[in-house]
Amino acid sequence: MAYLKVERDDEIVQIMIDRADKLNAMNLDVMDEFISVLDTLERDSSKVIIITGSGQKAFSAGADIEYMNSIGSTEAEKYALRGHEVLNKIEKLEKPVISAINGYALGGGCELALSSDIRFASPNAQLGQPEVTLGICPGWGGTQRLLRIIGPARAKDLIFTGRKISADEAFSMGLVNKIFPSENLLSETRSYAKLIARNSTFAIGISKNLVNKGMDANLDTGLKLEIYSWSLCFSTKDRQERMKAFVEKK
Ligand code: COA
């Protein structure tokens, strides 16, 4: 791969966007590589996925402005569709995805983080949706996912002003889960991923799906889905082994 560095450490997979000279801006090739990696992750035995950016400055500065400067509406639609395809895959992957935000997460970079389940940041992280400063609206799910994560008033504040917010402000809005010192961000993220990896991948996948579905469903539908999903867990060997081990005090 030219732009994604994928490393496996047991059941933890780290995807690093490796385009530091352009602050990890995501052109079409980066998106194609994401699709190919995510297709593999859907099927393999990995348990937790970490996404981060290479270098000290950026997680990702977003969609590629140089490319966008050269295109019209038809290509823009294709670019948006590709962005949505990648981010929807991340959101629907039945495994937890953690973004380790090690610097700028702007525009598509912020939207990439929004499609993850958990967001950790270093103190130098700056997040934002600066699209309106370029004459466009967020195009890779920003208007919809930001709204669901931080609420409409805060989402509109960030989108209308295009301002960059610090890791502290992002934390205070619930946009990032935790801040770690820069030098520990990846090791702390990996330790956290290992904590998750000890648990049942099936049960985590089904829980992720329930929380995601619950965001758009009414309470009654969400609760019914939970009942069916909960009962489905009882059909797995993993559940039998885990409960048996508890009862037999192993
Ligand atoms: N697309 C393409 N290239 C980008 C980019 C993007 N989104 N963001 C940064 N780059 C490139 C710059 O053009 C520059 O390339 P060059 O060295 O070949 O000239 C390189 O990355 C470094 O960026 P630079 O602007 O020089 O760094 P900086 O530290 O002065 O500023 C930012 C950092 C993030 C504030 C600034 O790069 C920026 O505002 N980027 C755009 C962010 C954005 O609007 N994203 C949303 C897109 S919809």
Side-chain angles (χ1 to χ4, degrees):
M1 300 231 177
Y3 296 115
L4 295 186
K5 237 194 238 166
V6 181
E7 281 173 21
R8 280 170 189 271
D9 165 15
D10 295 329
E11 298 141 324
I12 319 285
V13 173
Q14 178 182 289
I15 305 171
M16 179 180 275
I17 308 170
D18 191 18
R19 203 187 172 208
D21 58 327
K22 297 289 177 187
L23 303 185
N24 303 317
M26 293 176 283
N27 58 19
L28 272 170
D29 291 338
V30 175
M31 303 319 267
D32 287 348
E33 290 186 15
F34 258 116
I35 295 285
S36 142
V37 174
L38 289 163
D39 281 346
T40 305
L41 294 174
E42 276 169 5
R43 297 185 306 266
D44 70 10
S45 60
S46 59
K47 289 192 155 195
V48 186
I49 319 304
I50 297 169
I51 301 178
T52 193
S54 74
Q56 309 296 318
K57 271 183 83 173
F59 172 73
S60 170
D64 192 312
I65 302 173
E66 207 177 316
Y67 172 63
M68 290 191 290
N69 184 43
S70 70
I71 61 175
S73 290
T74 308
E75 292 103 325
E77 189 182 347
K78 282 189 196 145
Y79 197 26
L81 285 169
R82 205 64 174 152
H84 279 260
E85 193 183 346
V86 172
L87 273 48
N88 288 344
K89 262 183 186 292
I90 291 171
E91 193 172 67
K92 292 191 174 128
L93 190 70
E94 289 175 350
K95 298 171 184 182
V97 180
I98 308 170
S99 280
I101 306 169
N102 55 319
Y104 292 114
L106 300 174
C110 188
E111 289 164 316
L112 175 66
L114 293 174
S115 72
S116 315
D117 303 298
I118 307 276
R119 285 164 289 282
F120 292 145
S122 54
N124 68 324
Q126 290 193 47
L127 294 87
Q129 298 290 159
E131 286 87 348
V132 295
T133 68
L134 296 166
I136 55 175
C137 63
W140 291 356
T143 57
Q144 303 307 303
R145 291 196 177 98
L146 200 57
L147 152 73
R148 283 163 173 75
I149 294 169
I150 61 173
R154 284 171 164 160
K156 285 174 184 166
D157 161 28
L158 295 190
I159 293 168
F160 294 174
T161 60
R163 70 191 178 91
K164 301 178 194 66
I165 58 168
S166 66
D168 280 336
E169 189 174 355
F171 175 74
S172 73
M173 289 181 178
L175 188 48
V176 303
N177 294 67
K178 206 161 178 177
I179 300 171
F180 292 110
S182 302
E183 61 277 18
N184 299 342
L185 177 66
L186 279 181
S187 59
E188 292 283 359
T189 304
R190 254 184 239 119
S191 301
Y192 180 86
K194 281 185 185 149
L195 210 62
I196 296 178
R198 295 189 306 201
N199 299 324
S200 159
T201 304
F202 181 81
I204 289 173
I206 223 161
S207 304
K208 171 171 172 171
N209 194 26
L210 282 169
V211 175
N212 286 352
K213 287 267 180 342
M215 213 112 68
D216 294 319
N218 62 44
L219 181 62
D220 195 41
T221 307
L223 292 174
K224 283 208 172 72
L225 272 176
E226 190 187 76
I227 295 170
Y228 299 130
S229 304
W230 192 71
S231 347
L232 192 61
C233 293
F234 283 74
S235 63
T236 70
K237 200 168 163 227
D238 175 59
R239 189 281 306 179
Q240 286 168 12
E241 285 170 1
R242 285 171 183 269
M243 288 194 179
K244 190 164 175 258
F246 179 86
V247 171
E248 292 175 359
K249 307 208 183 305
K250 281 186 188 153

